[in-house]
Amino acid sequence: MRMKWLPVLLTVLASGAVDATEECRCLSFQSCWPSASEFSQLASQLSKPLIKPTPPASACYPPSNSSSNCSDVLSHLNNASWRSDLPGSMQMLNFESFTFPNGTIDACYYNTSLGFPCEQGNIPVLGVDARNVGDIQATVKFAKEHNLRLVIKNTGHDFLGRSAARGGFMLWTHNLKNITFDANFVPEGAPVSQTYQAITLGAGVQWNEAYKAVNDSGRFMVGGLSGGGSVGAAGGWILGGGHGALSPKYGLGVDNAIQFAVVLASGEYVIANAYKNADLFWALRGGGGGTYGVVVTVTYRTYEILPLTALKLDANFSSPQIAQDVVTDYLKLLPSLSDAGWGGYSVWSNTSFSITYFAPNVSLPDANATITPFLNRTKSIITNPQDLDFEIGAVDSFYDLYAFGFNVPSGAGGLLELTSRLMSRSIVKEDPEKVARLTLAVDGLSFSSVAGGAVSQVDPDATGLNPAWRDALGVLTGGASWDEGTSATEINRLRQAALAQLNDYLDKVSPDSGTYFNEASLYEKDPKKTFFGAHYTRLKAIKQLYDADDLFLVAEGVGSDDWDKALNCRLH
């Protein structure tokens, strides 16, 4: 074995953090990093030149600080689609930075007036712009041979920072854009009579591209909702579970995946479905991204295009008691709403309440019959008509709704860490008053009503997803945010305050404190239990079978418990 990890081991030993038995990855700032000639040899096997990801804000600093380039960057700061097209950009700015143990923050701030130099932060300095399976295979083999810290990145939509790593080597899958619709798709190894009207998406396809393609084919598919549809449709979204507003009607992403094509740590290209590599297929459906291999494509089932009914309600509360009463009534309605196929999003506090919901193939009369009792009770509690606004209407298709309401690529460019919990259906039914009281105690809380209904009808052990999802109505999300230049001490204070609210309130509305791996905190007390539940042991066994050397590692992912927090050195 080539001891390319020795320089970093000596560095870590100097800090007293680990012992001399540890094996470490080779990082870009160490002498073990491959030579220029070795990288040239890799480049000769690729379809595109090697990329050098840089922080987008570097355009505002010497030597490339032209006013036009800097203005372009700043004007697109919050544009999720623009950010997703840059290998060195994360959707949340805090994941572009790196904090050393002594509290020093290495970053390239967009606010140049802070007076800090532009540094590389947490962004890998070198990577591969993968355009085909061969590019991925060459990258994986190279990273394994040279013991590199491999990072898989698509769009940078990641609330746990798994798309970046200081000193790592990036595999950028963003340009794998192939889309194929097959009205008679047969999974490999399946009986020829088992056909689906299916769509196969390359790893770099984003939801705006997927929705247009499937709509052009006269069909509809389950997917995510985000500003501009910039989230990847065949990467971390599906591998972590994949939820959307129509999941109560059609299930989660993992419930709609038919087949994966994957490059393993060995470089082998394999198919995973119910008939071939079924254990890997099980793990990929909810066991977390960047863990078992590099997903090249995902094939999803599609559905008939149906009309939708959409409703929106906004209310202001004049007292905490009114908030308690209205939210309690809303929670009482939730189980029947999800069972009827309604899904959507809501935000509530002691001063205001807002919900936006959608239901496929539900007529306006039926929708009114479902929502009118709740609306009437709300009107009786909120007596001032100016404090309550309600709209309901029909839309011809999901794509029409999507194109109208989600075509602005906003929502990126902040500094944000999330906390979250699944909201248990059983607890809501048993004690909605308690759930209302607990959730109203959390500032800035939002709720994604993306479970129940069809999601709850799936066998909890059918996929690798945390079984707690099957007893959930959706995801409660809180968190902490701050401005550029905030000290590590203050960031940690904000983080601890958010975690305290999680522990004191949200833990009590989730069975066994489960949550959604893609929208959560990096600082969970028991991440194995919280993210994977009773499936962790099996998921880890499958990982060891396909990736025994842990080439693929992500923060708090399966197998990460064998490594230090930076995922650079193995623990023994």
Side-chain angles (χ1 to χ4, degrees), residues 48-116:
K48 292 288 180 179
L50 291 171
I51 56 174
K52 297 180 179 180
T54 56
S58 62
C60 300
Y61 292 81
S64 58
N65 59 329
S66 71
S67 59
S68 59
N69 288 344
C70 183
S71 296
D72 184 60
V73 167
L74 296 179
S75 68
H76 289 95
L77 178 62
N78 304 117
N79 187 313
S81 297
W82 181 85
R83 301 191 69 81
S84 71
D85 288 337
L86 302 176
S89 174
M90 305 298 138
Q91 296 292 327
M92 294 295 112
L93 307 187
N94 43 304
F95 295 114
E96 293 180 6
S97 66
F98 180 84
T99 303
F100 290 97
N102 67 0
T104 301
I105 297 176
D106 187 288
C108 189
Y109 291 130
Y110 294 77
N111 182 359
T112 59
S113 67
L114 293 171
F116 294 101

Side-chain angles (χ1 to χ4, degrees), residues 91-208:
Q91 296 292 327
M92 294 295 112
L93 307 187
N94 43 304
F95 295 114
E96 293 180 6
S97 66
F98 180 84
T99 303
F100 290 97
N102 67 0
T104 301
I105 297 176
D106 187 288
C108 189
Y109 291 130
Y110 294 77
N111 182 359
T112 59
S113 67
L114 293 171
F116 294 101
C118 176
E119 306 288 355
Q120 188 73 13
N122 204 39
I123 300 168
V125 297
L126 203 61
V128 170
D129 178 4
R131 301 298 177 108
N132 54 50
V133 172
D135 289 344
I136 297 173
Q137 291 175 311
T139 304
V140 166
K141 291 176 181 178
F142 184 85
K144 190 166 187 177
E145 177 188 354
H146 294 280
N147 194 33
L148 305 182
R149 171 80 164 88
L150 184 62
V151 176
I152 304 170
K153 180 180 184 290
N154 178 11
T155 66
H157 280 279
D158 198 313
F159 289 106
L160 282 86
R162 297 168 296 185
S163 300
R166 180 178 174 81
F169 186 60
M170 180 183 290
L171 174 57
W172 195 36
T173 62
H174 184 60
N175 290 306
L176 294 168
K177 296 287 191 180
N178 289 342
I179 300 176
T180 305
F181 179 80
D182 187 345
N184 297 286
F185 178 83
V186 180
E188 286 196 23
V192 293
S193 59
Q194 185 175 328
T195 63
Y196 298 87
Q197 294 196 51
I199 191 165
T200 299
L201 308 177
V205 174
Q206 294 163 274
W207 280 119
N208 61 325

Side-chain angles (χ1 to χ4, degrees), residues 464-468 512 514 527-537 539:
L465 184 69
N466 188 336
D512 296 322
K528 290 188 289 186
K529 174 183 174 183
T530 302
F531 297 138
F532 308 105
H535 287 163
Y536 186 81
T537 300
L539 288 168

